[in-house]
Amino acid sequence: MKNYFFIMSRREIINKQFYFRDPAIVAMELLGKLLIRKINSIELGGMIVETEAYYGVYDPASRAYKGKINKISKVMYEEGGTTLIYMVHGNWLFNVITGPEGTPSGVLIRAIEPIIGIKYMIKNRGINDIKNLTNGPGKLCRALNIDKSLNGCKVYDKDSPIIICKYVTIDKTKIMRSHRIGVKEDLPIPLRFYIKGNKYVSKY
DNA sequence: CTGTCGATCTACT
DNA sequence: GTAGATCGACAGG
């Protein structure tokens, strides 16, 4: 745990207003932030290196495209900074809601770089390969022991089991964007953001 | 690359 | 009750 004191000295939870903005802006600015999962007294976490933005009702790839039709799309209407977790293809995916209450948009966290509690993540994932620990949306949920019981948490609340903190600032020239992965019908603008050259990004 | 396994929800029998 | 769909992961060739 070589950077432990550095990390702790930097720890500062991002305020609620951060999430009350356009999902693409939030997705971009979440790169380089620290995602921390608290389980009793232990902590697991890492730096966010890949995200995707989703625009509620205007977005055919969004679960809220057809309105408040199920549990997932209802959570999307909650206020910014709320967690949204749902199952796809047998994997939990972790999202953070953006915008004020009533605007169904959010950011999918696709990959993190493991930093805190790596040995516990190895245990949760059942593999030793560090670079494959959290380089995918389903993988990072398993590594951090995230499931639907964590739906509706506030990532800006210090007592929440999942929080997001300031960490490092990513140089604009290192922020790359592309089209989203796995969606059948994407919007014309690229909404996937990732850190150039980071080896924990899921693809490319 | 290709197929299989996967947990949950929806929409029909 | 169960088939079908879904923003993945993995093993195998």
Side-chain angles (χ1 to χ4, degrees):
Chain A
M1 210 165 273
K2 59 183 174 162
N3 293 321
Y4 188 76
F5 290 107
F6 171 74
I7 293 162
M8 292 305 135
S9 68
R10 292 243 171 181
R11 175 179 297 201
E12 183 186 341
I13 297 183
I14 298 169
N15 64 32
K16 190 172 169 179
Q17 280 67 36
F18 177 88
Y19 304 98
F20 278 54
R21 298 181 293 164
D22 184 280
I25 305 286
V26 177
M28 194 171 0
E29 294 193 11
L30 276 176
L31 296 176
K33 301 298 188 286
L34 197 62
L35 177 68
I36 299 175
R37 164 83 167 105
K38 291 190 274 192
I39 306 170
N40 301 321
S41 60
I42 66 166
E43 289 192 339
L44 312 176
M47 182 178 76
I48 297 169
V49 300
E50 184 180 351
T51 58
E52 283 179 5
Y54 286 85
Y55 285 91
V57 287
Y58 308 105
D59 186 351
S62 165
R63 308 291 274 226
Y65 184 44
K66 291 176 179 168
K68 287 189 192 185
I69 54 171
N70 55 32
K71 288 179 189 168
I72 293 164
S73 51
K74 278 177 192 157
V75 178
M76 271 197 99
Y77 283 82
E78 292 197 19
E79 62 177 16
T82 304
T83 59
L84 166 61
I85 295 144
Y86 54 86
M87 171 70 64
V88 174
H89 291 101
N91 301 281
W92 294 109
L93 306 203
F94 175 66
N95 299 252
V96 181
I97 302 302
T98 59
E101 190 174 348
T103 58
S105 59
V107 175
L108 168 67
I109 310 297
R110 283 194 57 87
I112 66 173
E113 175 177 329
I115 296 172
I116 306 169
I118 293 178
K119 69 174 180 181
Y120 294 105
M121 296 193 219
I122 288 172
K123 200 170 145 197
N124 287 340
R125 291 275 289 113
I127 60 166
N128 272 314
D129 185 3
I130 305 280
K131 69 179 187 301
N132 276 315
L133 223 46
T134 55
N135 62 338
K139 294 180 190 179
L140 77 88
C141 284
R142 252 190 263 180
L144 300 182
N145 202 7
I146 291 172
D147 64 32
K148 70 169 180 180
S149 69
L150 297 171
N151 237 322
C153 294
K154 307 295 182 187
V155 295
Y156 50 80
D157 179 354
K158 67 177 171 51
D159 298 320
S160 170
I162 304 178
I163 55 176
I164 298 178
C165 297
K166 290 181 186 173
Y167 187 48
V168 296
T169 302
I170 306 299
D171 192 282
K172 287 263 193 295
T173 61
K174 289 218 168 173
I175 296 178
M176 309 305 285
R177 56 194 299 173
S178 76
H179 281 284
R180 294 173 295 184
I181 292 175
V183 308
K184 277 199 288 197
E185 203 178 342
D186 205 353
L187 289 171
I189 44 166
L191 290 170
R192 169 172 172 258
F193 302 89
Y194 61 97
I195 300 175
K196 184 182 182 181
N198 186 289
K199 64 179 176 179
Y200 299 97
V201 172
S202 68
K203 291 179 186 174
Y204 305 94

